[in-house]
Amino acid sequence: MGNADRNESDVIFILLGFSDYPDLQIPLFLLFLVIYIITVVGNLGMIMIIRINPKLHTPMYFFLSHLSFLDFCYSTTITPKLLQILVVEDRSISFPPCVTQYCFVVICVVAEGFLLTVMAYDRFVAICNPLLYIIVMSQKRCIMMMTGVYTWGIISTIIFVYSLVARSFAGTNIINNFFCEYSAVISVSISDNYVTETIFFILANFNTFFTLIIVLTSYLFIFITILKMNSASGRYKAFSTCASHLTGVSIFFGTILFLYCMPSSKSSWLLVRISTVFYTVVIPMLNPLIYSLRNKDVKETIRKLMQLPVGLFNG
């Protein structure tokens, strides 16, 4: 029987999850359930708010709605399975669902990295070239940018997934994580993983550092422009519009750099699992909060929807 046939029919992965901490299974289940509910409500709510408020039909919120969509998608790809393995004894997953889960995660994570880069460019144009903003960030160009973001996410996924399905595995494999994370799956492969890991390392670093260079360059010009402003209120307003995005970028790229671009970080599988929880479960919950708490238009829309007093959102 060929390797491909065996992969599809015989290979089983056992997701270790957090089973080495039996006393924490129920508390972790409740914690992740609450986080997932907040994630779903927060991200779908953000998309709805942006759609129903005409004041939010701008490039910045167009990109933010896609960020919420991506956060919802990869949280939904991972968290339900995590919740399942915390409360059931059967932690197994066959090869096709494992690859499918990994495929969706990679598309979302790579696309989110490039989307954060596009959002940095949007802030650069808005602050450094405000008179040209409407022309440069036209609806057509925004759609083209998002098409490029999703296209590169799919291309990267094809490369990553091919390097995974080309591996050989034994019948039953213990995955030292709570989902089919690349390094955990590759670690149980019986093939020579040098070429595969090299391809992954190069592409992961390219995606991360290419996007980071654009983000840092954009913000370098933004800060130079802000420092040249004569008005203190103008500087504050410019900084405040960038604060949320900078917070999201720092959390997302900091976690990715630690997890995938520093080989030494894999010396502890507990650290890998904690880092993976952070960027797949926690960050999708944080993003709607980060981008809404300091945004008057979003808070005003929420207040109108809930018909609550203005004072509840102030302070």
Side-chain angles (χ1 to χ4, degrees):
M1 182 180 293
N3 183 58
D5 294 332
R6 185 185 64 203
N7 280 341
E8 293 182 1
S9 59
D10 299 334
V11 175
I12 297 295
F13 297 111
I14 308 297
L15 299 172
L16 184 62
F18 294 92
S19 59
D20 42 349
Y21 301 95
D23 295 338
L24 295 178
Q25 299 296 291
I26 299 303
L28 285 175
F29 173 84
L30 296 174
L31 173 63
F32 292 139
L33 178 62
V34 170
I35 290 176
Y36 182 60
I37 292 172
I38 295 173
T39 300
V40 171
V41 173
N43 285 291
L44 294 184
M46 181 68 75
I47 294 172
M48 181 186 70
I49 288 169
I50 292 172
R51 286 187 175 275
I52 65 176
N53 188 347
K55 291 176 64 177
L56 303 181
H57 293 174
T58 64
M60 181 177 73
Y61 292 105
F62 171 76
F63 296 134
L64 184 54
S65 66
H66 281 275
L67 180 66
S68 292
F69 171 72
L70 289 171
D71 283 338
F72 167 77
C73 285
Y74 77 75
S75 177
T76 299
T77 301
I78 292 173
T79 310
K81 186 65 178 179
L82 169 59
L83 294 173
Q84 178 190 342
I85 66 174
L86 283 170
V87 294
V88 300
E89 293 185 5
D90 183 8
R91 303 169 185 270
S92 63
I93 181 172
S94 61
F95 191 80
C98 183
V99 172
T100 301
Q101 183 189 57
Y102 174 73
C103 177
F104 280 106
V105 170
V106 174
I107 290 176
C108 293
V109 172
V110 172
E112 178 154 334
F114 279 83
L115 175 56
L116 290 171
T117 306
V118 170
M119 293 172 73
Y121 176 73
D122 172 72
R123 292 299 83 206
F124 160 75
V125 177
I127 294 173
C128 299
N129 298 285
L131 298 178
L132 297 176
Y133 183 75
I134 296 178
I135 298 174
V136 175
M137 301 303 295
S138 64
Q139 183 180 21
K140 180 179 179 181
R141 183 163 295 182
C142 289
I143 293 173
M144 289 175 61
M145 287 181 176
M146 282 311 309
T147 301
V149 164
Y150 287 119
T151 300
W152 182 248
I154 293 171
I155 291 172
S156 295
T157 301
I158 291 172
I159 298 172
F160 284 141
V161 170
Y162 176 76
S163 67
L164 191 66
V165 298
R167 301 297 88 200
S168 295
F169 297 92
T172 302
N173 307 271
I174 304 297
I175 299 298
N176 209 335
N177 214 319
F178 55 87
F179 83 107
C180 294
E181 188 267 334
Y182 188 87
S183 58
V185 175
I186 287 297
S187 69
V188 299
S189 170
I190 59 178
S191 302
D192 181 5
N193 293 328
Y194 176 77
V195 174
T196 301
E197 290 181 347
T198 301
I199 292 172
F200 180 90
F201 185 74
I202 291 173
L203 186 54
N205 276 275
F206 169 79
N207 284 340
T208 303
F209 288 106
F210 177 78
T211 51
L212 266 180
I213 288 171
I214 296 176
V215 170
L216 293 176
T217 303
S218 298
Y219 274 104
L220 175 62
F221 284 106
I222 288 172
F223 289 143
I224 291 173
T225 301
I226 291 175
L227 292 174
K228 290 180 179 179
M229 292 179 178
N230 296 322
S231 169
S233 61
R235 287 196 296 270
Y236 174 77
K237 183 178 180 181
F239 271 121
S240 64
T241 59
C242 298
S244 298
H245 183 252
L246 271 176
T247 303
V249 165
S250 300
I251 295 173
F252 179 82
F253 282 106
T255 308
I256 295 296
L257 281 170
F258 172 78
L259 190 58
Y260 291 119
C261 300
M262 298 180 183
S264 60
S265 67
K266 297 181 180 60
S267 58
S268 169
W269 283 111
L270 176 60
L271 280 179
V272 171
R273 277 180 281 172
I274 293 174
S275 300
T276 306
V277 163
F278 199 72
Y279 91 85
T280 60
V281 178
V282 178
I283 290 180
M285 177 194 68
L286 290 178
N287 276 338
L289 301 176
I290 290 171
Y291 287 97
S292 63
L293 290 179
R294 294 175 59 90
N295 191 297
K296 293 181 180 179
D297 291 330
V298 172
K299 288 191 288 186
E300 179 66 18
T301 305
I302 295 174
R303 187 190 66 81
K304 288 181 178 179
L305 287 174
M306 300 180 67
Q307 295 182 341
L308 294 174
V310 177
L312 190 63
F313 286 90
N314 292 336

